[in-house]
Amino acid sequence: MIKSICKQQKQAKENTVMSIDKITLVVFDWAGTTVDYGSSAPMVVFEKVFAEAGIKLSRSEINEPMGMEKKAHIRSLLLLETASKQWKEKYGRAWDDNDVEMLYEKFEETLAKVVAEYSVPIDGVIETVEKLRGMNIKIGSTTGYTSEMMENVIPRAKSAGYSPDCVVTPDITGMGRPSPFMLYECMRLFGVYPAKRVVKVGDTVTDIAEGKNAGAWSIGILKGSNLLGLTEDEYNILSAEELAECKAKAKQKYLDAGADVVIDSIRELPDAIEEINSRLERGAEN
């Protein structure tokens, strides 16, 4: 699978058509943005792995670092005061790097068993990607999953109709989000520069940071996002007032993280990109 990804990336670079004044490349996140509504798979697995270790964490605590490389995510959770306290009470000592490795191995093992079933494209993704390609835009992707984890995700998404032009994982670049290096690798593969010709689209504040740290435009999505923190069932049963309140809070978090644009649904992305193109024509900088 990794070899096929690399071949796909090489072909993507060969097929690139540069554009001076327009967005040439859109780089999507995976879980919570293009597949896996609400980024449910990693959240469920983090919850299970920590619970088995005797550590109870809330959904909001688990979701806060979402989008990071998963070992870094585990470390961030252990650094929480609630987690550190529970760990010391249960084991009589502070956690260490060996504990991080143990939890990460369990995370990988558990995720591999369930991630494929969650890797279904979110409503509107397939149609939106088709529209973007019609706008001569290449489709890149970055993720907090490793290449090995993605071997379970990519085929499932492809069989349902979603297949980006390249996939870049933290183990390829040696560093994950919020660093810009996965996004830079997408740019390198397509020969796209400067970064103002690139839009990063994601569902976490870490995605926004990745885009901004690269100098690209950053767009946050509300519906289906990890940041909104709702399952599809929860989203559908909320009243209009409750949903509006949840979205307003999530939107503000995106904006506080530096998002250039926040859209309600991925279906609004082509229009958002046209607006960015208009700003570029007027000489605007992101």
Side-chain angles (χ1 to χ4, degrees):
M1 176 60 70
I2 300 303
K3 289 183 179 179
S4 68
I5 293 172
C6 292
K7 181 179 179 181
Q8 185 181 41
Q9 292 170 339
K10 181 179 179 182
Q11 292 172 340
K13 183 174 181 180
E14 291 173 351
N15 294 334
T16 299
V17 177
M18 289 297 293
S19 176
I20 294 176
D21 299 315
K22 292 185 177 181
I23 296 301
T24 306
L25 170 64
V26 170
V27 179
F28 287 107
D29 171 50
W30 279 79
T33 301
T34 52
V35 300
D36 186 6
Y37 191 107
S39 194
S40 298
M43 194 279 294
V44 168
V45 174
F46 277 127
E47 185 177 45
K48 178 180 175 61
V49 167
F50 273 83
E52 289 177 349
I55 310 300
K56 183 175 177 58
L57 297 173
S58 68
R59 186 194 296 184
S60 62
E61 287 175 323
I62 292 171
N63 283 342
E64 187 68 26
M66 201 67 78
M68 297 176 70
E69 183 273 327
K70 300 314 174 192
K71 192 178 292 186
H73 190 141
I74 288 170
R75 191 178 298 275
S76 294
L77 294 179
L78 288 171
L79 284 168
L80 292 171
E81 184 178 350
T82 53
S84 295
K85 182 179 179 181
Q86 290 180 68
W87 190 277
K88 195 163 187 178
E89 289 175 349
K90 182 169 180 62
Y91 298 102
R93 61 173 177 81
W95 61 270
D96 58 26
D97 287 344
N98 290 329
D99 299 315
V100 174
E101 291 295 332
M102 178 271 294
L103 290 169
Y104 180 71
E105 288 177 10
K106 289 187 176 180
F107 177 87
E108 275 197 315
E109 180 182 351
T110 307
L111 184 72
K113 296 176 181 177
V114 302
V115 71
E117 66 183 84
Y118 284 93
S119 300
V120 177
I122 294 171
D123 179 59
V125 167
I126 296 170
E127 298 88 344
T128 297
V129 168
E130 183 178 352
K131 286 183 179 180
L132 295 180
R133 287 186 168 136
M135 296 163 65
N136 293 319
I137 292 173
K138 293 296 181 180
I139 309 300
S141 68
T142 64
T143 177
Y145 290 165
T146 63
S147 297
E148 186 175 359
M149 294 173 189
M150 289 304 293
E151 289 181 357
N152 295 305
V153 175
I154 293 169
R156 178 69 180 89
K158 185 174 182 179
S159 69
Y162 174 62
S163 182
D165 299 320
C166 78
V167 180
V168 178
T169 57
D171 51 301
I172 288 175
T173 60
M175 192 175 296
R177 302 167 184 146
S179 81
F181 301 114
M182 291 194 295
L183 196 149
Y184 285 156
E185 179 65 5
C186 287
M187 292 170 60
R188 185 189 71 82
L189 289 166
F190 289 106
V192 173
Y193 65 90
K196 68 178 181 179
R197 296 178 184 147
V198 180
V199 168
K200 172 62 203 294
V201 182
D203 71 300
T204 68
V205 295
T206 312
D207 286 299
I208 301 301
E210 178 185 26
K212 299 312 292 182
N213 286 336
W217 301 87
S218 288
I219 295 180
I221 296 179
L222 293 172
K223 188 175 182 180
S225 70
N226 177 269
L227 189 58
L228 191 59
L230 299 172
T231 66
E232 194 162 10
D233 287 341
E234 289 170 339
Y235 184 97
N236 290 332
I237 65 174
L238 282 181
S239 68
E241 293 78 10
E242 291 172 322
L243 193 55
E245 183 178 354
C246 288
K247 287 184 177 181
K249 290 179 180 178
K251 180 177 181 178
Q252 191 58 53
K253 288 181 180 179
Y254 278 134
L255 295 175
D256 289 344
D260 297 289
V261 181
V262 179
I263 57 178
D264 187 73
S265 161
I266 197 168
R267 292 181 183 276
E268 299 175 1
L269 184 58
D271 288 340
I273 290 175
E274 289 289 15
E275 175 57 30
I276 291 174
N277 285 337
S278 296
R279 292 170 66 179
L280 285 171
E281 289 175 6
R282 296 194 299 269
E285 295 290 338
N286 54 319

